Amino acid sequence: KFTKGLSTPGEHAGKSVGEHAGVIRSIVVENFMNHTHLRIDLDPHVNFIVGMNGSGKSAIVASLIAGLGEKASSTGRNTKGHASLIKHGCDSALIQIHLANEGKDAFKADEFPETVVVEHRLERAGGGGYKLSTADGSYSRKSSKREVEELCNHFNIQAANPCAVLTQEAAKKFLHQGNEDNLYAFFLQAANLHCVREDLASTRGQCEEMKVKIATAEDGMSALEEQAKQAQEEYEGAIALKKLNEKLNELTRLVGWAEVDYKEHKIASLEQEVAAIDEQSGNCEAKLEEAESTIRSLEERQRQADQQRTALCEKLNEIGAMGKEEKRRLRAAQERQRQAADRIASAENSLGQVRCELTQSEKRLERKLKDLERNQQEARAKEERAKNTLELQLAELKTSLDGHASRVDALKAQTDAANEARDNAAAVASRCSQKLNESRDELRRLQSNNSDSLSRIHPQMPQLVEAMERSSSQFRSMPVGPLGKFVKLNDNQERFSNVIETALGGDRGLGTFVVSCKEDEEILRRLAQNLHRTNAPPLASLLNVTRRPLEKRFVVGRQEKQLPDFPTVLDLVTISDDTAFNAVVDRNAETTYIFPSEDVAQQALDKWKAQSRGYGQVMGYCADTNAKKFQRKGPGGDFSGREPSYGRGRGILTRDTRLLVDQKQMELDVATEEFNRAKFSAEEKRRAAAELGSMQLAERKQLKAATESHSKVRSELQRLSATTGHDMYEQEIEQLRSDVRDCHARVQCCAAEHAAAVAASQVEEPDIAANSARTAQLKTQFESVNAAYELKKQEQDAIAGTLRRATSDRRGLMKTRDSSAHTRKQHLAAIDKLKRELVDFIPQQLARLGERVADPQKRTVQELESERDKAKKRVRKQEAKHGGRNLNELQQFAEVTARKLKEKKEDLQCCQTTLVELDQAFKARYKNWKKTCKLKGKQAAQDFNVRLSRKGHAGTLHFSHEDEKLSLEVTRNSQDTGSAATTDARNLSGGERSYTTLAFELSMWEFCETPFRVLDEFDVYMDDTYRQIAVDTLLKLCDQQQNHQFIFITPQDMHPFLREREHQPRIVRMEKVR
């Protein structure tokens, strides 16, 4: 965008004003603040720049300050660098200031005639640069900020002085909102007195620094005098040093030849020690061979004892489990027997009560019959007695019949239970037989040496791996598996093979394949279905396939373990394939712990719950049980342990097949014993079922006979009842008979319950006796095995102690042998070294010390060296007094020290004189500066009052030069009858305050001799009356100062205020840019 002046050319008040050096002819900016391109041509005398707010008027003032090399903060913007002045979206900006360069005050007129152009380029990413050129651009060269400052000093341009270039922010700081300190600072800058104050402060600092240096020099003068005195004393004491050196030379000869005697004696002593070491080494080798033989024998015994102890431990665990099961069964049978005894007691109690009621009913019936006999005929009484007798027989037969029926039912239930127990025992025996056959097959397979890890997973697994490799082209990504192929136990971890195999899922888990898609899984299962059949279950029905992406090996976190004292599954194995490793990590192998025993597992999990408050979950497996799994959940979770659902390990990960064969042999023995026990139990259950069947058959025969007798008696009773008449006595008798029959029925029920309870109790007695016998047998067996285990443990501990002692003795012998060999080698090397040293040392001593001499006092080398060191210390002590120099040097040093002392005193005297003169000059300059401040303050106060009087006001400036404060006092005109003097600008109207500020600014212009002056928004807060007075005041000042250029910036239209003037100043109208 291009903007230019829109008014009259450079004339004012009808006079032709010449352009003086340093006057601004034009300003050109590019990409500066809100201007893309702007050029303003200025009149050499008076210029008004007008425009709306936001048209970029203040940017002209900022470009003038930044273009002449001043800091960006001097523009009044809240910025620390010129980069913030670059237009948004641009990388650089350009400022050109065209200055008049004519007359006798021209700057380098031979290079820049008439006009010198100062060009400052701003870079957002760098510091920018300066150029100086002519107006037409025919000559241009790079410049520096120093040269631009030199140009400003030459023209007396003060772009950073608010009195010369007053920005809006400077006016707010110093004038509109300024306090007394800011007003005084504005006064000092306007009068150029702030530079003098800074120079005076620098001079005062230099005076203080010189005083400190003089005081330091005075303090060091005494030390220099003491040094000169010591130099003279050293010279005098150097004579005694010569005698000490003679004694030192004599001791040096004695020490030199004493070293030769010492080395010769050392050689003889070392040769004797070598002979003794050779004799000792022979004895040590014989003892070492004997110790090696003993250790090998003990290690073999320890290995055998460890295997036997392991077998006994497993047997103890097995017997303990069997004992627990037998105790459980015994407790169950005893509980059933106790319940039967309770039923027997209840039945006996009920039977007694019912029999008592029966006796009473029979007595009442008997009395009623006697009455009948007295009142009726004897025959009828006899008939009734016969009927009563038949009813009693019928009741007894009914009771007997019910007892037989209940016993038949009880025997039937017992027979069914016995048959069920027989079938269960047969099933257990069948499973034990199957387990026994599997153990035999596994043992035969291991003994045949044809078994590998893949075959141990499943007999068809090698076929599947071969088929998968042959069909590799059919897969999108080759499946990875089985996992057991890539999992290997770490060294010395064979004892954990079964528990690790169980933790990884047994043969199903280690036989898992990993595929990346469903199509590969279908191909793999189809290959498994086409494998050759074997005796084992088909692999296709057991195949476990997992789909997951084929990723790089996971980086398992190294955070702190929950149980740092126990290893995890990942700590004990090495997994060679990355995908297999990731699949194992998916099974939480890095957080599954291995515990040595169940008690240790429970203690560790309880400790973890107490420390972590139970949040989270920890699980692991025990190595001393059948790979039992333990788990603790929180908070509030209980400790739980259970057998794995997929059984114990099968030795898939075991590398040493001999240990696996021994383990399988022990498992075979255990399986054989379990099968024999199950077979014996099945036979006992079968015999018990047969006996119960015979008892049930006999009881059924008795039930049939009782049923026939009951039918006969009931028929006879019906016959007698049919021939008997009924009267009132007969009805009563019949009611009593009914009561008797009810009592008989209840007696029969109670008797049946009693008989059933007795039968149930009798049935449990054989099982209790058998269980008790088996429990006692297992207890005896456990105690026997435990005693053998303890004896084997004591034997193993004794062997281990003997082995430790033998190993310690062997280490001691080996250490003694190695130490002796090392000592012998050192002695031989030392002897050889001493001999070689003597070959060269003796001639050197002869050449250095002269003929060989002996010490008459027979002192050792150490004693002679001590004497020599003492002599050296005395020599060094004496030399320390004069720095190790000779007599001539000491004499020269004493003379130089005295001369230096004299020169230092003369220099100190000169500095003291200079300080006095400098302090006097400083006081005179400071006094003159204070005087100048007061004179210029009075001048400013007078001018301020004169300019206010043009509006009918009066004012004065109150200076406090000691406190460096300045305050304004204004008395308003007589239009306000109640007016009074005020020092607070808030008591003035907006126009009065603005005019007062302008009067203060103009009063300071008398001190500032700069080529141009700039006022930004000089008429802010003024009404038209005050604005007219301000414009007239400014133009009158311009008429008085024809040699200066003035630039006034305002958002107001100046034409109404300038229409009465004959010659209009230049008015530049800014177009709106945003």
Side-chain angles (χ1 to χ4, degrees):
K1 181 177 179 179
F2 183 76
T3 305
K4 61 182 179 179
L6 301 177
S7 68
T8 59
E11 293 182 358
H12 177 67
K15 299 179 182 179
S16 177
V17 180
E19 292 182 334
H20 298 277
V23 172
I24 303 173
R25 287 183 169 172
S26 61
I27 299 175
V28 180
V29 296
E30 293 180 2
N31 298 329
F32 183 80
M33 294 180 67
N34 59 342
H35 294 291
T36 303
H37 180 84
L38 173 66
R39 178 185 179 92
I40 294 179
D41 296 321
L42 299 175
D43 186 87
H45 190 40
V46 181
N47 298 271
F48 283 91
I49 301 177
V50 300
M52 301 289 290
N53 289 332
S55 59
K57 302 186 301 299
S58 298
I60 298 173
V61 183
S63 66
L64 181 61
I65 295 172
L68 293 176
E70 298 297 340
K71 296 180 179 178
S73 58
S74 299
T75 62
R77 306 280 175 173
N78 186 18
T79 180
K80 295 183 179 180
H82 289 121
S84 61
L85 301 176
I86 301 173
K87 186 177 181 180
H88 181 70
C90 300
D91 295 330
S92 63
L94 178 67
I95 305 173
Q96 289 182 346
I97 310 297
H98 295 250
L99 301 175
N101 194 32
E102 296 177 346
K104 61 180 181 179
D105 293 330
F107 175 77
K108 298 183 181 179
D110 54 343
E111 286 187 83
F112 310 104
E114 297 182 359
T115 303
V116 57
V117 180
V118 180
E119 179 181 320
H120 186 190
R121 179 170 293 276
L122 310 179
E123 297 287 348
R124 192 178 296 277
Y130 295 90
K131 281 186 180 181
L132 295 179
S133 62
T134 59
D136 56 1
S138 59
Y139 175 74
S140 176
R141 65 175 175 83
K142 288 186 178 181
S143 182
S144 62
K145 184 176 180 181
R146 184 186 298 275
E147 188 175 13
V148 173
E149 291 176 352
E150 180 184 352
L151 180 144
C152 292
N153 291 333
H154 181 81
F155 290 139
N156 196 24
I157 296 174
Q158 303 174 26
N161 189 343
C163 190
V165 180
L166 184 63
T167 63
Q168 295 181 36
E169 297 299 327
K172 292 178 183 178
K173 176 180 178 184
F174 291 106
L175 303 177
H176 298 296
Q177 301 174 358
N179 53 27
E180 295 178 354
D181 295 331
N182 291 337
L183 291 176
Y184 193 85
F186 185 81
F187 162 72
L188 290 179
Q189 289 188 358
N192 284 328
L193 293 175
H194 67 289
C195 299
V196 180
R197 183 179 62 175
E198 293 174 358
D199 294 341
L200 288 174
S202 176
T203 303
R204 179 181 293 173
Q206 293 175 0
C207 290
E208 296 297 330
E209 184 179 357
M210 184 173 289
K211 288 179 181 179
V212 173
K213 290 182 178 179
I214 289 174
T216 304
E218 289 175 349
D219 294 338
M221 193 62 66
S222 59
L224 192 59
E225 292 175 350
E226 182 66 23
Q227 184 179 5
K229 182 179 178 181
Q230 289 180 358
Q232 184 65 26
E233 291 177 355
E234 289 176 1
Y235 173 69
E236 295 173 353
I239 299 174
L241 182 61
K242 186 175 181 182
K243 295 180 180 180
L244 290 174
N245 284 327
E246 292 176 356
K247 184 178 180 180
L248 181 60
N249 292 334
E250 181 181 358
L251 288 172
T252 301
R253 288 189 64 197
L254 291 175
V255 169
W257 289 113
E259 289 178 354
V260 174
D261 296 338
Y262 171 76
K263 291 182 179 181
E264 291 175 348
H265 178 72
K266 184 68 174 178
I267 290 172
S269 176
L270 290 174
E271 289 176 347
Q272 293 177 1
E273 291 181 5
V274 168
I277 288 172
D278 292 339
E279 182 178 358
Q280 184 181 2
S281 297
N283 297 331
C284 185
E285 288 292 339
K287 293 180 180 180
L288 190 60
E289 291 179 0
E290 183 180 355
E292 290 286 351
S293 176
T294 303
I295 288 172
R296 286 194 296 271
S297 174
L298 289 172
E299 287 178 345
E300 180 62 24
R301 289 175 58 195
Q302 186 183 35
R303 188 186 66 79
Q304 295 175 357
D306 187 58
Q307 292 179 352
Q308 295 173 0
R309 181 183 173 187
T310 302
L312 290 172
C313 181
E314 293 181 354
K315 192 170 183 179
L316 277 176
N317 293 333
E318 181 183 355
I319 294 173
M322 293 170 60
K324 290 180 181 179
E325 181 64 21
E326 291 297 335
K327 286 182 180 179
R328 186 188 64 77
R329 294 176 181 174
L330 178 61
R331 285 194 295 270
Q334 290 174 347
E335 178 63 21
R336 291 194 298 272
Q337 189 181 35
R338 184 187 64 78
Q339 293 176 357
D342 293 342
R343 291 198 302 273
I344 290 172
S346 176
E348 289 178 351
N349 187 21
S350 300
L351 184 60
Q353 293 178 357
V354 173
R355 283 177 177 174
C356 182
E357 293 178 1
L358 177 62
T359 302
Q360 293 177 358
S361 299
E362 289 176 346
K363 288 180 180 180
R364 288 195 299 272
L365 179 61
E366 184 66 24
R367 287 195 299 270
K368 185 58 69 175
L369 291 175
K370 288 181 180 180
D371 293 340
L372 181 63
E373 287 178 356
R374 288 193 300 268
N375 296 318
Q376 294 183 356
Q377 298 177 358
E378 183 67 24
R380 189 169 182 176
K382 291 181 180 179
E383 184 180 352
E384 292 297 331
R385 288 192 186 94
K387 186 187 290 187
N388 187 41
T389 301
L390 289 174
E391 289 180 351
L392 290 177
Q393 293 179 359
L394 184 64
E396 291 176 357
L397 289 174
K398 177 66 175 176
T399 301
S400 177
L401 182 64
D402 293 341
H404 286 300
S406 63
R407 283 193 292 274
V408 168
D409 294 338
L411 287 173
K412 185 176 183 302
Q414 294 175 9
T415 302
D416 295 338
N419 290 332
E420 184 179 0
R422 179 197 62 194
D423 296 337
N424 292 336
V428 171
S430 177
R431 288 195 298 271
C432 291
S433 176
Q434 182 180 0
K435 183 177 178 181
L436 178 62
N437 294 332
E438 291 177 355
S439 299
R440 286 174 178 169
D441 295 339
E442 184 71 17
L443 181 61
R444 283 195 296 270
R445 184 165 52 83
L446 291 173
Q447 288 175 345
S448 65
N449 295 326
N450 293 327
S451 174
D452 56 5
S453 60
L454 295 180
S455 299
R456 290 198 291 272
I457 295 174
H458 193 277
Q460 289 182 328
M461 188 61 72
Q463 300 180 30
L464 179 59
V465 173
E466 292 178 0
M468 186 174 66
E469 292 176 353
R470 288 194 303 269
S471 305
S472 59
S473 60
Q474 300 179 13
F475 295 99
R476 290 188 178 182
S477 297
M478 189 66 178
V480 176
L483 296 182
K485 178 181 178 182
F486 306 102
V487 179
K488 304 297 181 184
L489 288 172
N490 294 336
D491 295 339
N492 302 322
Q493 305 300 335
E494 290 287 338
R495 63 186 183 279
F496 298 115
S497 61
N498 284 342
V499 67
I500 293 175
E501 179 183 340
T502 304
L504 294 178
D507 53 354
R508 293 292 302 274
L510 294 176
T512 300
F513 285 81
V514 180
V515 297
S516 60
C517 60
K518 183 178 181 181
E519 292 77 5
D520 291 348
E521 179 181 357
E522 293 175 352
I523 295 172
L524 184 62
R525 292 190 182 278
R526 188 165 57 252
L527 292 176
Q529 292 176 354
N530 297 332
L531 298 177
H532 297 295
R533 298 290 182 180
T534 61
N535 295 330
L539 178 59
S541 61
L542 304 174
L543 186 61
N544 189 13
V545 181
T546 300
R547 287 200 297 270
R548 71 178 327 279
L550 304 180
E551 302 170 321
K552 293 183 179 180
R553 182 181 294 255
F554 292 158
V555 178
V556 180
R558 298 298 181 186
Q559 65 271 22
E560 184 178 357
K561 294 168 62 176
Q562 293 173 316
L563 301 176
D565 297 334
F566 302 97
T568 62
V569 173
L570 282 185
D571 295 336
L572 302 177
V573 299
T574 300
I575 303 175
S576 57
D577 185 79
D578 292 350
T579 303
F581 180 86
N582 297 341
V584 172
V585 171
D586 290 343
R587 299 172 181 264
N588 300 322
E590 79 280 8
T591 58
T592 301
Y593 296 90
I594 303 301
F595 302 105
S597 65
E598 181 176 352
D599 294 337
V600 173
Q602 185 168 1
Q603 293 174 4
L605 295 179
D606 291 342
K607 182 178 179 182
W608 166 81
K609 182 178 181 182
Q611 292 178 351
S612 64
R613 299 182 180 179
Y615 289 98
Q617 174 178 329
V618 175
M619 71 175 178
Y621 293 82
C622 280
D624 66 341
T625 62
N626 293 338
K628 195 171 185 179
K629 181 179 180 180
F630 295 95
Q631 187 171 352
R632 168 76 75 181
K633 296 181 179 180
D638 294 330
F639 174 82
S640 62
R642 59 183 177 84
E643 296 289 341
S645 59
Y646 31 78
R648 297 180 59 187
R650 299 174 55 191
I652 296 174
L653 302 178
T654 304
R655 290 181 291 185
D656 190 352
T657 56
R658 292 184 293 104
L659 295 177
L660 192 59
V661 168
D662 295 340
Q663 180 182 354
K664 290 300 179 182
Q665 183 64 50
M666 288 188 291
E667 291 180 359
L668 179 61
D669 296 339
V670 172
T672 302
E673 189 172 352
E674 289 181 355
F675 173 73
N676 292 332
R677 286 198 303 272
K679 185 177 180 181
F680 177 76
S681 176
E683 184 62 27
E684 286 184 344
K685 299 295 183 182
R686 188 191 63 77
R687 287 197 298 269
E691 291 175 359
L692 289 173
S694 301
M695 293 172 62
Q696 182 183 5
L697 183 60
E699 194 66 31
R700 286 183 180 278
K701 290 181 180 180
Q702 294 178 6
L703 176 62
K704 183 177 181 181
T707 302
E708 292 176 354
S709 299
H710 180 267
S711 299
K712 291 178 180 179
V713 173
R714 186 173 58 185
S715 299
E716 183 66 19
L717 181 60
Q718 289 176 353
R719 185 184 63 80
L720 290 176
S721 298
T723 59
T724 303
H726 298 280
D727 54 12
M728 182 173 57
Y729 281 100
E730 288 178 352
Q731 293 178 358
E732 293 178 359
I733 291 171
E734 186 65 29
Q735 181 64 37
L736 290 174
R737 287 175 179 170
S738 176
D739 294 339
V740 171
R741 286 195 298 273
D742 291 339
C743 289
H744 278 291
R746 289 166 61 192
V747 167
Q748 292 173 2
C749 290
C750 292
E753 292 178 359
H754 181 269
V758 170
S761 176
Q762 292 174 353
V763 168
E764 295 296 336
E765 287 180 356
D767 290 340
I768 293 174
N771 287 334
S772 300
R774 287 195 297 272
T775 302
Q777 180 182 2
L778 289 173
K779 183 178 180 182
T780 303
Q781 187 177 2
F782 182 85
E783 291 175 352
S784 175
V785 175
N786 188 44
Y789 176 81
E790 293 297 332
L791 289 175
K792 187 58 65 178
K793 181 180 180 181
Q794 295 175 2
E795 179 185 355
Q796 189 178 14
D797 294 341
I799 293 173
T802 306
L803 179 61
R804 284 195 298 271
R805 290 191 294 272
T807 305
S808 178
D809 294 341
R810 181 183 64 179
R811 284 198 299 269
L813 290 172
M814 294 175 67
K815 186 175 181 180
T816 302
R817 181 191 64 186
D818 297 339
S819 177
S820 299
H822 182 67
T823 304
R824 183 177 185 278
K825 184 177 179 181
Q826 288 181 338
H827 286 1
L828 291 176
I831 291 171
D832 184 62
K833 181 179 179 181
L834 289 172
K835 288 182 178 180
R836 284 188 281 103
E837 288 178 354
L838 285 177
V839 171
D840 297 331
F841 188 63
I842 292 176
Q844 292 176 0
Q845 296 294 76
L846 287 172
R848 186 171 65 90
L849 304 175
E851 189 175 341
R852 186 168 183 172
V853 295
D855 183 21
Q857 299 180 14
K858 303 297 183 181
R859 288 173 290 185
T860 62
V861 175
Q862 290 78 11
E863 293 173 345
L864 290 172
E865 287 179 346
S866 177
E867 291 290 335
R868 185 184 63 181
D869 292 341
K870 291 179 181 178
K872 285 183 177 181
K873 288 181 180 180
R874 290 194 294 271
V875 170
R876 284 196 299 269
K877 185 177 181 181
Q878 191 65 28
E879 288 178 347
K881 294 181 180 180
H882 52 76
R885 291 163 290 187
N886 55 33
L887 294 177
N888 293 331
E889 292 176 346
L890 291 173
Q891 183 179 4
Q892 293 177 2
F893 179 70
E895 294 174 354
V896 169
T897 305
R899 186 172 62 253
K900 188 180 296 185
L901 177 61
K902 182 179 179 181
E903 292 175 354
K904 288 290 184 180
K905 288 182 177 180
E906 293 175 354
D907 293 342
L908 180 60
Q909 183 65 31
C910 180
C911 290
Q912 290 173 344
T913 303
T914 304
L915 177 60
V916 173
E917 295 175 353
L918 183 60
D919 188 56
Q920 293 175 353
F922 168 75
K923 291 179 180 179
R925 288 189 63 194
Y926 183 75
K927 183 178 180 181
N928 184 55
W929 179 75
K930 298 295 281 185
K931 183 178 180 181
T932 304
C933 289
K934 292 178 181 179
L935 291 174
K936 291 192 175 184
K938 290 180 181 180
Q939 180 182 351
Q942 292 174 0
D943 192 64
F944 177 67
N945 186 44
V946 169
R947 298 188 185 281
L948 285 180
S949 63
R950 295 175 182 172
K951 184 66 174 86
H953 302 317
T956 184
L957 302 177
H958 295 287
F959 287 90
S960 176
H961 297 290
E962 296 298 330
D963 298 332
E964 295 188 353
K965 295 183 182 295
L966 171 59
S967 61
L968 306 179
E969 182 177 351
V970 180
T971 303
R972 289 175 286 190
N973 58 26
S974 59
Q975 293 178 0
D976 185 1
T977 58
S979 64
T982 179
T983 58
D984 190 351
R986 291 175 294 181
N987 295 330
L988 301 174
S989 65
E992 291 173 344
R993 185 165 59 250
S994 299
Y995 184 77
T996 301
T997 302
L998 179 62
F1000 178 75
E1001 167 75 7
L1002 296 180
S1003 66
M1004 298 298 163
W1005 275 10
E1006 298 297 333
F1007 310 135
C1008 185
E1009 293 296 332
T1010 182
F1012 56 84
R1013 291 168 178 166
V1014 181
L1015 277 180
D1016 189 4
E1017 294 195 6
F1018 65 92
D1019 55 349
V1020 65
Y1021 307 126
M1022 291 185 183
D1023 56 12
D1024 290 345
T1025 302
Y1026 277 99
R1027 186 171 289 110
Q1028 182 66 57
I1029 296 173
V1031 171
D1032 294 340
T1033 303
L1034 290 174
L1035 292 178
K1036 185 175 180 181
L1037 178 65
C1038 294
D1039 292 339
Q1040 294 172 357
Q1041 298 181 7
Q1042 293 291 329
N1043 296 332
H1044 295 278
Q1045 183 183 34
F1046 298 91
I1047 303 173
F1048 305 113
I1049 301 175
T1050 175
Q1052 305 297 329
D1053 184 11
M1054 288 290 103
H1055 287 88
F1057 307 101
L1058 300 174
R1059 67 166 66 96
E1060 296 180 358
R1061 300 191 67 83
E1062 181 179 357
H1063 296 284
Q1064 297 289 323
R1066 179 180 292 274
I1067 299 177
V1068 179
R1069 185 180 304 278
M1070 301 295 295
E1071 297 181 5
K1072 191 172 182 180
V1073 297
R1074 51 180 175 175

